[in-house]
Amino acid sequence: PALLTGQWLTLRAIATGAFPMTFQWQKDGTDIPGATNPMYSLPNRTLLTDNGSTYTFKATNASGSTLSSAIPVTVTQNPNLIVDGDFEDGPWTASDVWQFSNYFIYFDPSAHSGHYYAWMGDYDAAATDYLYQTISIPASVAAANLTFWVNIQNSNTTPFTNNNTFVCKIKDGAGNDLKTVTQCDNNHPTVGWVQQGPFDLSAYQGKSIQVYFTSNQPGAGTAGKTDFLVDDVVLTVTPG
């Protein structure tokens, strides 16, 4: 199979013969611990280091063992560095790529694409949500641009000074602020989904960064409740 970085690899095999029968998947000729079923899924998303790997499947019964033909795997760099930016792997109780403050990946056919989006805000009391992903921008790229879509649904009908806010920031790998990309608030609700960006992140070539979203509600009262919905987060790199 040919894959992009960040995708999942699943292999399936069919064995015929007399039972009882045991199975074993191998990677590059070495048994994979625990991979003893006809279906095997790579435990982590694919990386460039998986490129060129080969997998084989061995079935054994009383008559002996049979080894499948080698299955080569090709992995190339995904031009979108954000993994699961459309949130279609959700809903989560945990995520292998996103860090988040609350369980808020929401199923809704009105998502910008697919059926899921990240839902932030919507509190009756003071609260802060965060959602971020750590990525590394290769030093060799010519350009790196961030885009995402927001839908701001606000219970207010008149402007208020006690703002509920939504901010996209870039942080370094340790979580220190590097740049505020954009900020929205409850005084500027959107009509449906609106794209933000593109925002140029080429200054962070060769660095590990966090693409960090946060919503903040100061407290109950005059600001009312605001829903900040996020979908289709994309960080596209152009090869150098």
Side-chain angles (χ1 to χ4, degrees), residues 173-233:
N176 301 305
D177 289 355
L178 297 175
K179 177 181 181 179
T180 295
V181 173
T182 190
Q183 177 170 320
C184 308
D185 60 46
N186 58 341
N187 287 318
H188 301 88
T190 63
V191 180
W193 291 96
V194 175
Q195 187 178 41
Q196 305 294 301
F199 304 106
D200 183 9
L201 301 186
S202 57
Y204 308 111
Q205 293 170 244
K207 297 179 180 179
S208 176
I209 62 170
Q210 296 175 2
V211 177
Y212 195 101
F213 301 99
T214 183
S215 69
N216 179 63
Q217 181 162 314
T222 58
K225 297 198 300 183
T226 307
D227 299 334
F228 297 104
L229 314 181
V230 187
D231 204 357
D232 292 327
V233 184

Side-chain angles (χ1 to χ4, degrees), residues 84 89-96 98-105:
D84 192 30
D89 282 359
W92 317 314
T93 53
S95 169
D96 64 313
W98 289 105
Q99 303 296 317
F100 55 97
S101 56
N102 288 297
Y103 174 74
F104 49 63
I105 302 306

